[in-house]
Amino acid sequence: MDNRKTFIPLSILLPLLSALFIVIVGGGLGVIFMILYSTYLHEWGVIMLGMVFVVGVPVVAAIIAKKYEKDVN
Amino acid sequence: MEQVHLKGHESEHETSLGIPHRKLLIWVFLASECMFFGSLIATYLVYQGKSLVGPYPHDVFSIPITSVSTFVLLVSSMSMVLAYSAISRGNIKVFRIWILSTAILGACFIGFQVFEFREFAVEGLTPRTNLFGTTFFTLTGFHGAHVTVGVIWLLSIFGFSFFKKFTSADSLSVDLVALYWHFVDVVWIVIFTVVYLIGVVEGG
């Protein structure tokens, strides 16, 4: 019961922070896409940045994960 | 390394079907979501090609850009599988890396949707413009809302992993969010095929 009491503020705070993260990252990326679209790159700018995320995020995650992979029990 | 206590799902109360209550609940919830999205997709198809004024799908859709956002969501599903695999093996640090990666890719998909909706509005397509606009924004808007809820769920679990020790119940929580995330991904594949690809080919 005590444990539950401790986590009640977190169960409100974490979703709120998560929503803020979406507004900043999602909204920010949306604005960056709009700026790229308005440049001479046009839709290729949006495609290139999108591909950077498609390839970059899993690759960076895999590199960092490999570092901690040996820590398994 | 931080301690992770994983005992499988044996401490969960099980239904007569042999699966935990929460898992049965998420399957029932996803079944109701199938009906929800099924009716929205059916509505889109019923009104397809019946708009009296433009812009029409082939005027506004950019298949290359939407294909990239589809890849983003597909890769996020792979990332989710790796997160679940890590927590199943009891490696909390690797789990955190992959669940954060999934959330970032989900937020990236939302960024694509923000950009797309704004570009459509610039080209004169709003929910009020025609039947295509109304059904399209309702369907993709609700899907975007589901992705947003999924990212909030993922980040909340990511945050909780720093504040409490993971138990078997938490392992199940990751299983539940993974099921939800894969569902949202599959729904997008259907929307991309039915709305975008067929929309451009048929020109309606």
Side-chain angles (χ1 to χ4, degrees), chain B:
Chain B
M1 177 183 167
E2 292 172 50
Q3 283 294 311
V4 184
H5 303 280
L6 288 171
K7 299 169 189 169
H9 297 164
E10 67 268 24
S11 62
E12 283 283 326
H13 296 289
E14 288 191 348
T15 61
S16 56
L17 296 171
I19 60 170
H21 280 131
R22 290 200 293 156
K23 198 158 188 176
L24 180 64
L25 184 66
I26 194 83
W27 279 114
V28 173
F29 170 69
L30 292 180
S32 74
E33 289 282 85
C34 282
M35 288 183 261
F36 179 73
F37 278 106
S39 52
L40 287 177
I41 292 167
T43 308
Y44 177 85
L45 289 173
V46 164
Y47 290 115
Q48 193 180 24
K50 292 200 170 64
S51 295
L52 299 175
V53 292
Y56 302 103
H58 60 271
D59 297 325
V60 291
F61 286 163
S62 169
I63 296 300
I65 292 178
T66 315
S67 299
V68 175
S69 73
T70 304
F71 279 128
V72 167
L73 215 52
L74 284 173
V75 170
S76 78
S77 258
M78 180 201 74
S79 189
M80 186 72 243
V81 169
L82 291 167
Y84 183 68
S85 165
I87 199 69
S88 300
R89 283 180 282 114
N91 196 329
I92 188 77
K93 285 180 180 172
V94 173
F95 160 73
R96 282 177 189 149
I97 292 162
W98 285 115
I99 205 159
L100 184 63
S101 156
T102 311
I104 290 170
L105 289 165
C108 182
F109 178 84
I110 292 164
F112 268 104
Q113 206 156 38
V114 168
F115 161 75
E116 192 179 54
F117 280 12
R118 196 260 183 184
E119 284 307 313
F120 290 176
V122 167
E123 290 177 40
L125 183 73
T126 66
R128 291 180 179 184
T129 309
N130 53 20
L131 278 171
F132 163 59
T134 307
T135 52
F136 170 80
F137 280 108
T138 306
L139 176 56
T140 54
F142 269 112
H143 181 267
H146 278 74
V147 174
T148 306
V149 169
V151 175
I152 290 172
W153 195 353
L154 290 167
L155 287 173
S156 298
I157 289 179
F158 172 75
F160 267 115
S161 73
F162 288 96
F163 292 101
K164 61 183 283 212
K165 284 180 181 175
F166 262 46
T167 62
S168 58
D170 299 304
S171 163
L172 180 61
S173 299
V174 179
D175 197 3
L176 302 183
V177 72
L179 278 170
Y180 177 83
W181 193 254
H182 294 316
F183 170 78
V184 168
D185 196 0
V186 169
V187 168
W188 180 253
I189 300 301
V190 176
I191 292 173
F192 180 62
T193 308
V194 171
V195 176
Y196 288 84
L197 295 180
I198 295 177
V200 167
V201 169
E202 291 193 351

